[in-house]
């Protein structure tokens, strides 16, 4: 399985999905209006990857800003990972945000309440 990467653009984050080490990264700013064309290849990659995943897999979310459409997209990706976690695959989410960013902190709490998979917060100074 190949590593999948999308470079960050003006309105979308960097995506890095590494099949060799089980590291999935979403980094940057996301304020796309139509997230379906962006989300679909990520979900497709995950569905292929889950056939032979690494023993440990982390999804690192390092976003400075997201709009409501991107919020829904991230919920969709985490929901997909949550299905795999429930089936016994070892996934966790690492949600990184700046200490003063109450919005991103609230989103981390929302995710923890909604999903079974572990969601760890990493607060930056």
């Amino acid at each position: 399985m190949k590593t999948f990467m999308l470079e960050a653009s003006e309105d979308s984050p960097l995506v890095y999905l590494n099949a060799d080490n089980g590291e999935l990264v979403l980094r940057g700013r996301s304020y796309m209006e139509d997230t379906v064309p962006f989300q679909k290849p990520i979900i497709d990659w995950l569905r292929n990857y889950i056939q032979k995943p690494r023993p440990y897999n982390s999804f690192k979310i390092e976003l400075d800003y997201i709009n409501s459409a991107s919020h829904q997209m991230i919920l969709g990706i985490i929901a997909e990972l949550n299905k795999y976690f429930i089936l016994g695959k070892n996934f966790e989410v690492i949600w990184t945000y700046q200490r003063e960013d109450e919005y991103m902190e609230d989103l981390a709490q929302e995710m923890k309440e909604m999903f079974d998979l572990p969601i760890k917060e990493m607060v930056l100074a």
Side-chain angles (χ1 to χ4, degrees):
M1 170 127 212
K2 292 187 177 185
T3 294
F4 177 80
M5 186 168 158
L6 290 173
E7 292 290 342
S9 72
E10 184 177 306
D11 65 349
S12 65
L14 167 105
V15 176
Y16 180 70
L17 310 174
N18 188 328
D20 293 331
N21 66 9
E23 183 180 63
L24 319 171
V25 178
L26 199 61
R27 180 182 299 132
R29 301 174 63 81
S30 185
Y31 48 96
M32 299 170 280
E33 292 305 319
D34 182 11
T35 61
V36 173
F38 187 84
Q39 181 180 355
K40 184 177 179 342
I42 296 169
I43 297 295
D44 290 346
W45 186 93
L46 287 169
R47 289 180 178 162
N48 285 322
Y49 173 71
I50 200 60
Q51 303 304 313
K52 291 186 181 177
R54 303 296 302 163
Y56 168 78
N57 304 276
S58 67
F59 180 39
K60 298 176 181 177
I61 301 173
E62 303 168 357
L63 296 171
D64 303 342
Y65 172 82
I66 61 172
N67 65 1
S68 58
S70 297
H71 178 176
Q72 292 303 313
M73 174 190 70
I74 291 169
L75 285 176
I77 294 169
I78 294 176
E80 188 75 16
L81 295 175
N82 195 64
K83 289 190 291 188
Y84 306 146
F85 178 78
I86 290 169
L87 293 171
K89 307 301 181 188
N90 189 0
F91 276 93
E92 77 173 349
V93 173
I94 301 169
W95 187 274
T96 303
Y97 58 90
Q98 296 292 324
R99 182 172 308 284
E100 66 277 356
D101 193 338
E102 292 178 15
Y103 178 70
M104 294 303 267
E105 181 180 5
D106 290 345
L107 286 180
Q109 295 305 313
E110 175 186 337
M111 303 291 174
K112 286 180 176 182
E113 293 171 12
M114 291 178 68
F115 299 108
D116 297 316
L117 80 163
I119 299 175
K120 295 181 180 177
E121 294 178 65
M122 184 177 255
V123 182
L124 304 174

